[in-house]
Amino acid sequence: MEAYKEEFIEFMVESQVLKFGEFILKSGRKSPFFMNVGAYVTGKQLKKLGEYYAKSIHENFGDEFDVLFGPAYKGIPLSVTTAIAYSELYGKEVRYCSNRKEAKDHGDAGILLGSNLSDGDRVIMIEDVTTSGKSIEETYPILMSQGKVEIKGLIVSLNRMEKGREGKLSALAEIKEKYGFDSHAIVTMEDVIKHLYNRPYKGKIYIDDKLKAAMDQYYEEYGA
């Protein structure tokens, strides 16, 4: 596993973004882990987060894109901080773009904020975590309505590796099958378990035998 991925796992835990225990998800599933990107609240955290996204985008997609699109609301700061980080790390200027929940009819009017989209723009969508693919279903038509843009792919911070809405493939695999573009994550839950299982981080074991058993049981039922 690349060093930046191991650092990112520790960064999620230290920032209390990735937690372990018992959580009821929006889907109704009882999960032994939970992720909340909204817990990144400081300038230092957001700077580092953008750098991890930028590194993963560069590794998986290279420089062949023009715009980072972050679906409202959590995707807005992700697209901004990643655009900044990409410029600093790789010297390439990319634009950020997000959608509004409701179109604005005065001033900077329209459904988008940040950069407009034009024919020929190559877009990478950026999200926190995709469990069902519902947000892509909502935002994909918005992007396609802006012109002849090309969706190069989707990047998320964590691949939960669970069945998507159809109940067979993972959410990321379903997205590729339905829309035709690649989807990648900075890390997967497999990476997280491999890195943290019975391995102390700052003196604490986050995934012990009991939690590992609960995670194994969870993936037996919901794993893709």
Side-chain angles (χ1 to χ4, degrees):
M1 191 189 317
E2 294 88 338
Y4 82 88
K5 293 185 177 184
E6 295 181 345
E7 292 171 5
F8 181 64
I9 292 168
E10 295 168 359
F11 173 62
M12 286 193 293
V13 170
E14 189 171 342
S15 301
Q16 298 187 359
V17 166
L18 180 60
K19 297 183 177 182
F20 303 99
E22 287 189 2
F23 307 92
I24 302 299
L25 305 179
K26 188 184 296 185
S27 62
R29 298 175 182 177
K30 181 189 287 186
S31 173
F33 61 94
F34 180 72
M35 183 176 183
N36 175 25
V37 171
Y40 294 119
V41 294
T42 71
K44 183 176 180 180
Q45 287 174 333
L46 290 170
K47 183 177 186 297
K48 291 182 68 175
L49 179 62
E51 290 170 353
Y52 289 123
Y53 267 105
K55 289 176 181 178
S56 187
I57 289 171
H58 191 262
E59 177 184 325
N60 289 292
F61 297 105
D63 288 335
E64 301 303 309
F65 68 101
D66 308 295
V67 183
L68 288 171
F69 178 84
Y73 289 105
K74 289 183 179 179
I76 297 174
L78 295 180
S79 60
V80 172
T81 191
T82 304
I84 294 169
Y86 211 92
S87 174
E88 291 181 344
L89 290 175
Y90 303 109
K92 178 180 172 65
E93 291 291 1
V94 296
R95 291 134 51 205
Y96 96 92
C97 177
S98 296
N99 64 299
R100 294 183 170 98
K101 289 292 187 180
E102 296 179 356
K104 188 178 177 184
D105 60 5
H106 61 280
D108 183 19
I111 194 68
L112 301 180
L113 57 87
S115 173
N116 289 323
L117 295 176
S118 304
D119 290 353
D121 277 341
R122 301 164 299 175
V123 180
I124 289 180
M125 303 179 73
I126 183 167
E127 285 211 83
D128 54 351
V129 60
T130 296
T131 301
S132 68
K134 182 180 178 181
S135 62
I136 302 299
E137 191 174 271
E138 294 172 348
T139 55
Y140 183 79
I142 295 174
L143 288 171
M144 293 296 99
S145 70
Q146 302 304 308
K148 297 178 181 178
V149 301
E150 178 186 1
I151 309 299
K152 298 293 291 187
L154 167 70
I155 189 81
V156 300
S157 56
L158 177 69
N159 181 356
R160 290 182 60 99
M161 302 177 66
E162 297 176 32
K163 296 173 184 176
R165 302 179 78 182
E166 301 300 321
K168 296 179 181 180
L169 303 173
S170 71
L172 294 186
E174 282 185 358
I175 289 169
K176 180 176 176 59
E177 184 177 75
K178 183 173 183 178
Y179 300 104
F181 55 77
D182 288 331
S183 301
H184 296 282
I186 302 175
V187 294
T188 67
M189 276 308 299
E190 184 179 16
D191 295 330
V192 172
I193 295 169
K194 180 179 180 181
H195 186 62
L196 292 180
Y197 177 46
N198 278 341
R199 178 182 296 176
Y201 174 63
K202 292 192 173 180
K204 180 177 179 179
I205 298 290
Y206 285 89
I207 303 180
D208 56 15
D209 290 336
K210 182 179 179 181
L211 183 61
K212 175 66 162 55
M215 297 178 92
D216 289 344
Q217 183 177 354
Y218 182 78
Y219 278 109
E220 281 184 17
E221 185 170 359
Y222 299 117

